[in-house]
Amino acid sequence: MNACPRDAEEKSLAEVFDLIGFGRFQLQLLIIAGCGFMADSIEVGVVTFLEQKIPEQWPEAEGWALNALSMSVFGTKLLGSCIWGSLSDHLGRRRAFLLANVFLLLTGCLSAAAPSYVSLVVVRGLVGLAIGGIVIPFDNLAESVPEKYSSLVCYAIEYFWTIGTLYANVLAAVVLETWGWRIYLLLTALPIFLACCGYIFLEESPMWLLDRGCDEDALATLRRIAAVNGQDLGNIALVSYTRETEPSCRELLAPSLRRQLVSLSVIWCLGLFGYYGASLASGFLFSSGGSMDYTEVLFTSCGEIVGTTAVLLTAWRFSAATVQPWCYFVSGIGCLAVLAAKLMNGPTILVAMLAFLVRAGSMGGSAATWVLTPAAFPTHIRSTAHSVLYTWGSAGSLLATLWPAKASTSVIMGSYALANLICVAMGLWQQRGLAPRGAFDSLLSDLHASNLERRARSSIARSSRLASRTASRTSTATGRPSNLSRPSWPLLPSRQIS
């Protein structure tokens, strides 16, 4: 509860964040969260290049045995996604972020010392388990910035995903052929090391603390954030509210959340199937005779910067629900164009340009999906919901690694195109059917938990508690029982679960 002077001015979380503004703390958080967010995109590059180099040391790694490397990473992400999201909702964003990144750093470094191919597959599987915590920094960022900057910052963190992709590709071009894959693996863990070091600058999500009923801790955290930004919050109090039950996956099946859960599950699964497929396609689009053209791989990867920038610029005028289907449409058409160019033996530069377009579209669609997800679920189950959806995305990324060695380009690229076009259909359903009904307003609602009813209840509840304590003291002094009783409504406004 708030232990504050009676004349303190009550403010919602959104109002406090407006007072704090966007400054040094948010930039620090963006960089630290971004370093952790790079893990997944780096792993895509690691898997792509390791599959090219590992057979040189262990010739027995071929066919399905070679596929086991990528399957172990993307398969264990399914389990990791469920674990870390739930931990984040129960332990807090800050502690779960540290646990996930330390585990990722240790397993990433251990894999560089793997004495055999089997041990490499096992340890990289543990890396995938840790990567499942990637949703934590994203949700913490979404909950810790002023409302008007929320979408922009959530789009901005996607640049770190792209930076991770470019980092893995440039590192491979510089290190892989000269120093070998073990040094390459050690250097790919550098961003995670920086994320672990950044833990000392992190604060717990004030929204999570307030949702847990830790009003004093939430206000103290906000004061520290304000101090970093050079602001003074003065004599204020937070509007109190708390949830009715502990976080549970069962709540995701409530009618009020079911539709966005279903639609986002399909988009996460097929959208990341298309994204990872486009990333891994570099292995057969630009390789010949056992060697790979890193220049063309790097060029197509730059398409992700264009895709992220495009959705970031549109954020000023269009919602993520509006932008999302258009991005997947561009990616789907691009996949068909790449297929046509390969079938007609088109020049490599044409294939590279079309693959650039595919990467731009799939990255833009993925960024919009990431931004939509935390907005669709209430705080107390936000990370749990995000992790469940990321599990579907991990399933899609796993499917992208299961192509038989003899699978034709037509089947592979055609499947990616179909997946993207299904995402277009689901995105249009979200845009026209769900968004107008407020399906993606949960984050906004939690930030503005200061409507007149809640504010009135909070004030009346505080006055009632004060009067009860006064009456109790009077009763003790006179020996007469007090006639005051507790109010009939809950002491703190609670969430209603449909």
Side-chain angles (χ1 to χ4, degrees), residues 147-166:
E147 175 197 337
K148 61 182 177 181
Y149 298 108
S150 181
S151 294
L152 295 176
V153 173
C154 289
Y155 277 131
I157 198 176
E158 298 290 341
Y159 279 112
F160 286 89
W161 182 290
T162 304
I163 291 171
T165 300
L166 296 177

Side-chain angles (χ1 to χ4, degrees), residues 201-360:
F201 299 102
L202 286 180
E203 293 285 354
E204 184 55 80
S205 164
M207 185 178 291
W208 181 83
L209 288 171
L210 187 62
D211 188 79
R212 297 281 293 188
C214 304
D215 299 10
E216 294 180 12
D217 292 337
L219 186 56
T221 299
L222 289 167
R223 291 190 185 281
R224 289 194 296 271
I225 294 173
V228 173
N229 282 8
Q231 302 293 332
D232 182 12
L233 295 182
N235 186 24
I236 65 169
L238 289 173
V239 178
S240 299
Y241 73 99
T242 188
R243 60 174 173 267
E244 190 173 82
T245 59
E246 282 298 308
S248 171
C249 290
R250 291 191 297 271
E251 188 174 343
L252 296 177
L253 301 179
S256 59
L257 300 176
R258 192 180 301 153
R259 289 186 177 182
Q260 51 263 48
L261 179 69
V262 171
S263 62
L264 285 170
S265 295
V266 173
I267 293 177
W268 269 93
C269 182
L270 297 182
L272 287 190
F273 171 72
Y275 170 80
Y276 281 97
S279 302
L280 297 173
S282 300
F284 63 84
L285 289 178
F286 305 113
S287 63
S288 61
S291 61
M292 183 178 293
D293 190 330
Y294 292 106
T295 303
E296 290 169 345
V297 172
L298 184 60
F299 170 73
T300 58
S301 299
C302 289
E304 297 190 6
I305 297 179
V306 174
T308 303
T309 303
V311 294
L312 179 64
L313 293 176
T314 60
W316 294 103
R317 292 181 59 87
F318 303 103
S319 68
T322 301
V323 172
Q324 183 191 59
W326 285 102
C327 291
Y328 284 121
F329 178 76
V330 170
S331 182
I333 296 301
C335 288
L336 295 176
V338 168
L339 175 58
K342 291 293 288 185
L343 291 177
M344 294 187 295
N345 296 319
T348 304
I349 185 63
L350 175 61
V351 175
M353 292 177 65
L354 293 173
F356 179 96
L357 186 67
V358 172
R359 295 290 285 272

